[in-house]
Amino acid sequence: MAFLFGSRKTPEELLKQNQRALRKVVRELDRERTGLERQEKKIVADIKKMAKSGQMDAVKIMAKDLVRTRNFIKKFILMRANIEAIALKLQTLKSQAAMANAMKGVTKALKTMNRRMNLPNLQKIMMEFERESEIMDLKEETISDTIDDVIGDADDEEESDVIVSQVLDELGISLDHELAEITPGLDKPRITSNAPAKKAVAAGPAGGDTDDLQARLDSLRRDDD
């Protein structure tokens, strides 16, 4: 019987059809209300004209017509408001139906994912991942320690000490002397290569003073004799 009466429409199609019908009714009501408002203005103008000419009987009749016209305008406004409320309800139903379909699809997808998800297998995978990560960290630490042992900083420190000593020698400064001044109270610093030269230079004047003193003593003894 489907080929005689056509296919059955879905709820969404019925909603669209009813919405189109309601919009058409609203346009017709607006058209009729606009015509009544124009008629109202014309009646008011005619009443003023008849009143000026003194035709009071015609004025009373036209006044009743004006009242009926204004009542019809109010009714059209009320009908339009009611139709808009119905259209809003239909739109709400349409939105709710769309939301229900979306939730249905999401629920179906969640069920499929939950069926495919094996929780024990997932836990096993996570444990394996954690174990492999720890192994990788240990390997990286071992490799780093090995590299530090092979390419250590001992040679660099020795070379740095040699360079510092050379610079201090060029400046004529004893590293041990400087350390002794910085850290008093420690053992007597050893004398570097520059220290003997300074001591030899300083010993010259001290020896001269001793000879002068001995000469003066000898002169005093001769005077006493």
Side-chain angles (χ1 to χ4, degrees), residues 57-69:
D57 294 336
V59 169
K60 291 180 181 180
I61 295 171
M62 296 179 69
K64 292 180 181 180
D65 191 12
L66 178 62
V67 171
R68 286 193 295 269
T69 302

Side-chain angles (χ1 to χ4, degrees), residues 31-57:
R31 192 181 303 111
E32 293 294 333
R33 181 174 58 82
T34 303
L36 289 174
E37 289 175 350
R38 286 198 298 267
Q39 184 178 354
E40 179 187 6
K41 293 179 181 179
K42 184 176 181 300
I43 292 172
V44 171
D46 292 339
I47 289 173
K48 292 179 180 179
K49 184 178 179 181
M50 294 296 178
K52 288 180 181 179
S53 61
Q55 299 179 5
M56 299 307 297
D57 294 336

Side-chain angles (χ1 to χ4, degrees), residues 17-220:
Q17 182 179 354
N18 291 325
Q19 285 178 338
R20 286 195 297 268
L22 291 174
R23 286 195 293 268
K24 183 178 180 181
V25 173
V26 169
R27 288 195 297 270
E28 291 178 355
L29 289 175
D30 289 338
R31 192 181 303 111
E32 293 294 333
R33 181 174 58 82
T34 303
L36 289 174
E37 289 175 350
R38 286 198 298 267
Q39 184 178 354
E40 179 187 6
K41 293 179 181 179
K42 184 176 181 300
I43 292 172
V44 171
D46 292 339
I47 289 173
K48 292 179 180 179
K49 184 178 179 181
M50 294 296 178
K52 288 180 181 179
S53 61
Q55 299 179 5
M56 299 307 297
D57 294 336
V59 169
K60 291 180 181 180
I61 295 171
M62 296 179 69
K64 292 180 181 180
D65 191 12
L66 178 62
V67 171
R68 286 193 295 269
T69 302
R70 287 179 176 176
N71 289 332
F72 279 123
I73 291 173
K74 291 179 181 179
K75 290 180 180 180
F76 278 115
I77 292 173
L78 290 175
M79 284 189 290
R80 188 181 190 280
N82 291 329
I83 291 172
E84 286 181 346
I86 294 171
L88 181 60
K89 289 182 179 180
L90 289 176
Q91 183 63 35
T92 304
L93 290 174
K94 184 179 178 181
S95 300
Q96 290 177 352
M99 183 179 65
N101 290 331
M103 292 178 65
K104 182 179 179 181
V106 172
T107 303
K108 185 177 179 181
L110 289 174
K111 287 182 179 179
T112 303
M113 291 178 64
N114 288 328
R115 284 196 302 268
R116 293 180 179 179
M117 186 179 295
N118 188 354
L119 186 58
N121 189 22
L122 181 61
Q123 291 177 347
K124 182 180 178 182
I125 292 172
M126 295 302 295
M127 292 176 65
E128 291 178 355
F129 175 78
E130 184 178 0
R131 185 175 64 254
E132 294 298 329
S133 297
E134 292 178 356
I135 293 172
M136 180 62 69
D137 293 337
L138 291 174
K139 289 182 178 180
E140 289 180 356
E141 185 177 356
T142 303
I143 293 172
S144 299
D145 294 339
T146 304
I147 291 174
D148 292 337
D149 293 338
V150 174
I151 311 175
D153 296 333
D155 296 336
D156 295 338
E157 291 179 358
E158 293 178 359
E159 186 176 357
S160 299
D161 293 338
V162 172
I163 293 173
V164 172
S165 299
Q166 290 177 355
V167 173
L168 294 177
D169 290 338
E170 292 176 359
L171 296 176
I173 300 173
S174 173
L175 180 60
D176 294 334
H177 181 67
E178 295 294 331
L179 292 176
E181 291 180 354
I182 294 173
T183 58
L186 298 179
D187 294 337
K188 183 179 179 181
R190 61 185 179 84
I191 300 173
T192 59
S193 59
N194 292 330
K198 294 182 179 179
K199 184 175 180 181
V201 174
D209 292 339
T210 304
D211 295 337
D212 292 338
L213 181 59
Q214 186 65 36
R216 290 178 182 178
L217 289 173
D218 294 338
S219 177
L220 288 174

